[in-house]
Amino acid sequence: MRPRPSSVALALAAFLAGCEHLPAKEWALLPAGALLLSDATLLKAPVAAAGLAFYVVSDPFAPNWVIEESRQSDERYLLALRHKAVHSGGGGEARQVFARRAAQLAGQPGFGAYEVVNWQTGIDSGRPFAQRVAYGEVRLVRLQPPRDVANSAP
């Protein structure tokens, strides 16, 4: 039994609804390619379903690390990082992602730098996939107001 082109197009539209990061030129190629494969009977329903399931699990356009941030005070933040469950690489990026977010926080008005108070990495062995995790605490360092040398006493 061959799927109707309209059902394939509808399934493809639902599949592509989550593809928000594709450039406009590539958007036009995906439906055209799917219709060509469908007309050539190369795109079968089980293959399309397997492709959709793989995309939902792997989501190639999602960031490798998700950061959950908790503000403890004006100067302290806790950052919890979680690696994608299905990934290809990126295992050693936790410290870089952490440092990038800490630098963004330190860029707030009134702050000039940050200090790492605590840092630890590990693996959360949940089901169905184990995930790399990292936790860190950042203390933001306030800028010192410039001293007026002319009016200060020695």
Side-chain angles (χ1 to χ4, degrees):
M1 181 170 131
R2 183 173 172 216
R4 296 186 333 202
S6 61
S7 64
V8 171
L10 181 61
L12 184 63
F15 172 74
L16 294 176
C19 296
E20 60 195 41
H21 302 290
L22 287 178
K25 289 191 313 187
E26 293 178 13
W27 264 103
L29 296 176
L30 290 173
L35 288 176
L36 284 174
L37 289 174
S38 174
D39 288 343
T41 66
L42 297 174
L43 184 63
K44 305 281 185 200
V47 173
L52 177 62
F54 176 76
Y55 178 82
V56 167
V57 171
S58 69
D59 193 4
F61 299 110
N64 280 334
W65 291 91
V66 175
I67 303 174
E68 294 179 16
E69 182 177 302
S70 174
R71 184 177 181 173
Q72 302 298 303
S73 69
D74 287 344
E75 300 170 346
R76 287 191 182 261
Y77 287 85
L78 291 176
L79 302 176
L81 289 80
R82 180 171 291 278
H83 200 223
K84 272 180 29 175
V86 177
H87 56 83
S88 61
E93 296 175 341
R95 186 63 182 212
Q96 294 171 340
V97 173
F98 175 80
R100 189 172 31 236
R101 181 60 188 143
Q104 289 172 347
L105 291 170
Q108 298 176 44
F111 298 103
Y114 68 91
E115 175 183 277
V116 177
V117 177
N118 187 15
W119 173 252
Q120 61 185 21
T121 61
I123 295 180
D124 181 10
S125 54
R127 299 283 181 231
F129 302 107
Q131 290 180 290
R132 293 181 184 270
V133 292
Y135 303 97
E137 184 176 356
V138 175
R139 185 181 69 81
L140 303 181
V141 178
R142 292 197 180 273
L143 287 173
Q144 297 296 325
R147 287 183 32 184
D148 188 7
V149 178
N151 294 333
S152 65

